[in-house]
Amino acid sequence: MQTRALGDTGHESSIATFGAIALNWLEQEGANQMVEHVLSKGVNHFDVAPTYGDAELKLGPKLRQHREDIFLGCKTQERGYEGAKRKLDRSFDRLGVDYIDLYQVHGLEYESELDEITADDGALAAFREAKDEGKIGHIGLTSHGNPGLIRDAIDRIDDLETLMFPLNPVVVGKGDDEHDYAGVFEAAEKAGVGTLGIKAFARGPWPDTDELPEADRPFPNWYEPVDTPDEISERFDFAAAQGLTSVVTPGDPKLVAMVLDAATRYNGMDETAQRSLIERLRHDESPVPEQLHH
């Protein structure tokens, strides 16, 4: 699998990042097998969070066995110093490791949150302390939110090293400020910030629960995903062709193998094919920013 420079971190990430939330839906033996499969395909960048059920616990055994082969990203939704410090320690315990390569502010949505995390007693103070102590390697941020807010974060956080944000042909095709994640990508590149793409495989929001109860949905993703090999390959090729460092695999374990196959076969996507896909999908309903609250 191809690798790309993760911004200025010095790390070469595989062009697919394993979204370890998928482990939450598996028993431990299945989780072990999935991690081995992901590694066998050449993936070296994993991402997990304490909010992903028991994914941290299920990742732990294989993570410890293959620690040198995995660039580990984790994150916290805490916005203050004490909370962030506490959650980082909890993730160390649950994962069974004493070092996390990339620790990220999880799910930035509001300007007030950006004010809070950048304050003297904010979460970033805990991140920087942990970095100085050698507990984490790099500082990142994730957001499904307003692209303008994400660009503000790039401007205000001098030591920001990675960003995770939505990028797919539906949002690119909208062409308005609410979906200007392409602008986020450009700002990140200019600042030497590594870029991780999420929602690459989103078809759109799920129907209302009156029409399709959550229990009847075939995938546990927060959005309705594309689910055929051809669609997944097309979506992966599009996301990777935008220049992202890496594309994060979707949350349902049933989709991960198809994404990994697409990633190993990735050989670019020409501009004509990208424009054609955007035109075909631009009128689809966007999965962002309406579904921010998760």
Side-chain angles (χ1 to χ4, degrees):
M1 185 178 297
Q2 293 181 27
T3 61
R4 292 175 176 171
L6 183 63
D8 293 339
T9 64
H11 180 71
E12 289 281 330
S13 289
S14 48
I15 56 171
T17 288
F18 176 50
I21 189 174
L23 302 179
N24 181 51
W25 316 110
L26 301 172
E27 299 298 328
Q28 186 63 58
E29 182 56 31
N32 292 345
Q33 292 174 2
M34 173 157 280
V35 172
E36 291 286 357
H37 179 67
V38 168
L39 289 169
S40 75
K41 291 291 187 179
V43 173
N44 66 7
H45 190 141
F46 283 41
D47 189 81
V48 73
T51 53
Y52 296 166
D54 59 4
E56 286 181 318
L57 296 170
K58 288 174 179 170
L59 174 60
K62 286 296 177 181
L63 172 65
R64 295 190 290 275
Q65 181 181 342
H66 297 285
R67 186 66 189 92
E68 294 184 356
D69 301 320
I70 295 173
F71 182 87
L72 176 63
C74 191
K75 46 207 177 191
T76 179
Q77 290 182 320
E78 296 289 339
R79 302 306 188 222
Y81 171 86
E82 290 295 343
K85 187 175 180 180
R86 193 164 52 247
K87 279 296 175 67
L88 176 59
D89 287 339
R90 183 171 182 265
S91 288
F92 283 140
D93 289 341
R94 284 163 63 88
L95 291 162
V97 298
D98 57 8
Y99 179 79
I100 290 173
D101 299 279
L102 172 64
Y103 202 54
Q104 303 152 104
V105 174
H106 189 181
L108 181 73
E109 293 184 19
Y110 304 107
E111 191 75 36
S112 60
E113 293 179 301
L114 184 55
D115 292 339
E116 191 174 355
I117 64 172
T118 54
D120 290 344
D121 59 350
L124 286 172
F127 285 33
R128 289 163 181 150
E129 183 178 278
K131 188 175 179 181
D132 289 343
E133 293 173 348
K135 295 179 178 178
I136 68 171
H138 308 281
I139 293 172
L141 181 144
T142 81
S143 178
H144 305 252
N146 185 319
L149 175 61
I150 304 175
R151 291 196 300 273
D152 285 347
I154 296 173
D155 290 339
R156 292 177 59 176
I157 305 173
D158 291 339
D159 50 357
L160 187 66
E161 295 173 277
T162 73
L163 270 176
M164 185 182 291
F165 55 93
L167 194 62
N168 65 46
V170 180
V171 299
V172 171
K174 296 302 178 191
D176 56 29
D177 290 344
E178 285 192 342
H179 297 87
D180 187 18
Y181 297 104
V184 170
F185 172 74
E186 291 172 8
E189 268 217 317
K190 187 176 180 182
V193 171
T195 51
L196 304 163
I198 50 175
K199 286 191 167 67
F201 309 96
R203 186 189 305 280
W206 286 109
D208 290 340
T209 52
D210 291 345
E211 299 175 36
L212 183 64
E214 289 191 15
D216 294 339
R217 296 174 183 179
F219 304 100
N221 302 56
W222 292 304
Y223 53 82
E224 183 176 1
V226 296
D227 58 0
T228 68
D230 287 347
E231 289 175 310
I232 284 176
S233 181
E234 185 177 55
R235 290 299 194 93
F236 184 90
D237 290 354
F238 179 87
Q242 305 311 299
L244 292 166
T245 304
S246 189
V247 181
V248 182
T249 60
D252 189 303
K254 297 187 293 296
L255 301 172
V256 172
M258 285 190 282
V259 174
L260 296 180
D261 284 344
T264 55
R265 288 184 280 103
Y266 175 71
N267 190 31
M269 186 182 207
D270 64 44
E271 290 190 10
T272 301
Q274 293 176 47
R275 285 197 299 272
S276 175
L277 186 60
I278 291 170
E279 288 304 317
R280 176 154 54 89
L281 300 178
R282 69 186 319 144
H283 298 299
D284 285 4
E285 190 175 357
S286 169
V288 293
E290 290 84 355
Q291 294 190 344
L292 299 179
H293 304 287
H294 46 69

